[in-house]
Amino acid sequence: RQGAAEEGGEGLSRTASKRQKRRLEAAERRKEAKKARRAADKEAQRAKVAARRAERQAALEALPEAERAEAAAAGRARAKEERRRASEAKNATAARLEAAKEVGVKLAIDMRWADDQTEREMRSLCFQLGQCYASNRTCPDPCCLYLAGLSEESHSAMRRVTSGVDGWRGAVFDRRPLLEAFGDEKERVVYLSADAEEELGEMDRDTVYVVGGMLDHNSKKGSTQRAAQDEGWRSARLPLDKYVQLAGSKVLTVNQVVDMLLLAWAGNHHGLGWDDCWRHAVELAVPQRKRKGYVKGEGKAPGEGGACQAAYATIERAAKEKLGGGGGDGETGSRDDEGAAPTAGNAVDAA
């Protein structure tokens, strides 16, 4: 029997080795496929640039010789101005994100469950965190993304999935668990959970909003609410029921929750009341596939944009219409007027 047990153990070991080998091979295939996609994207971009250059050259050659030099000089000046504007916009974005670490709303991701997830779950979570960062970059009043309890193992996983993660501006990577990071200021922390009794109303710049950093499958149901209760955090749920009928679970992905918070905060930045802020945020952040009555392949396609530039522009337009077009082109009324709390944007302007 002992021999049979040893033989069975060796068999399990061989099976595990084969499984691990397959996982490593699959990871290598994904890595190579990602490289191939990037190379193809770069080649396509080079082709577009070459085509535009050829088109401009053909247009120049079609001009009379007397006008050709003047047109070429005007084209060079226009290109230089475009590069200058792009550089200024990039620098302004970087400055706003850095300022958000000091004056922005803190959106904390509780990473305590990350190391217990499967490799596939962790890869999905890392992708969602990348989406959160991308959404925050384009927010008119960006927040501080605060990853609490981020272990070295999880940090390494993020580096493998998302390139440039260590260069994220406006983000804080903290090895300390949430309780250690914010335990001395519990009164200003709200843990978001679909199982909470209280509904989130207005957002506040001085409040830390915590999102559970995990893929909340059935096996982890209720984990965020239990964590909030065990550690004494105030908990609240997003106001989904007011604005949408969901087909099933009210649990959203990490990036969908963060997108909703960012969009609601953007609405407040542009002067909308909180009811309008949440209505637009829910409409733009909750995918169609989660809504009651959605049939795959019929009607409107699933809305997967989230808190992208188009979504922020939609909220800005809604604010202009609601406030009677005040503020002129490209500007709307904002709650951050003289004497109000500083935003990441006006903090940069003041500097």
Side-chain angles (χ1 to χ4, degrees), residues 149-224:
L150 179 68
S151 68
E152 183 58 44
E153 182 180 352
S154 296
H155 201 165
S156 297
M158 290 179 65
R159 293 187 183 104
R160 289 193 297 270
V161 175
T162 308
S163 61
V165 66
D166 290 321
W168 284 6
R169 295 183 182 273
V172 175
F173 302 134
D174 196 343
R175 296 284 185 264
R176 296 176 300 166
L178 185 71
L179 190 59
E180 186 177 341
F182 297 105
D184 294 335
E185 42 191 344
K186 282 188 175 182
E187 69 282 353
R188 72 182 193 97
V189 175
V190 176
Y191 208 122
L192 297 173
S193 172
D195 303 305
E197 294 183 3
E198 180 185 346
E199 185 176 80
L200 185 62
E202 297 184 4
M203 291 178 66
D204 182 82
R205 188 174 296 279
D206 295 326
T207 300
V208 180
Y209 298 93
V210 184
V211 181
M214 63 174 171
L215 271 66
D216 196 355
H217 297 310
N218 290 332
S219 60
K220 302 183 182 71
K221 189 174 181 180
S223 295
T224 52

Side-chain angles (χ1 to χ4, degrees), residues 48-63 68 71-72 74-76 78-79 82-83:
K48 286 182 181 179
V49 171
R52 288 196 297 267
R53 187 179 293 117
E55 185 179 346
R56 289 194 298 268
Q57 186 62 32
L60 277 175
E61 292 176 354
L63 291 173
R68 198 174 300 166
R76 287 193 295 271
R78 187 167 55 250
E82 289 174 356
R83 289 194 298 271

Side-chain angles (χ1 to χ4, degrees), residues 269-311:
H269 172 78
H270 289 305
L272 287 174
W274 279 107
D275 183 66
D276 287 326
C277 288
W278 287 118
R279 179 168 55 83
H280 288 295
V282 170
E283 177 61 30
L284 292 165
V286 177
Q288 294 293 324
R289 67 177 183 276
K290 289 187 69 72
R291 305 182 190 209
K292 190 174 182 179
Y294 170 72
V295 179
K296 187 176 181 180
E298 295 183 10
K300 186 178 177 182
E304 302 293 348
C308 58
Q309 286 183 332

Side-chain angles (χ1 to χ4, degrees), residues 311-329:
Y312 289 126
T314 297
I315 287 180
E316 186 176 3
R317 285 195 300 271
K320 283 184 178 182
E321 294 171 2
K322 187 81 174 180
L323 302 175
D329 294 338

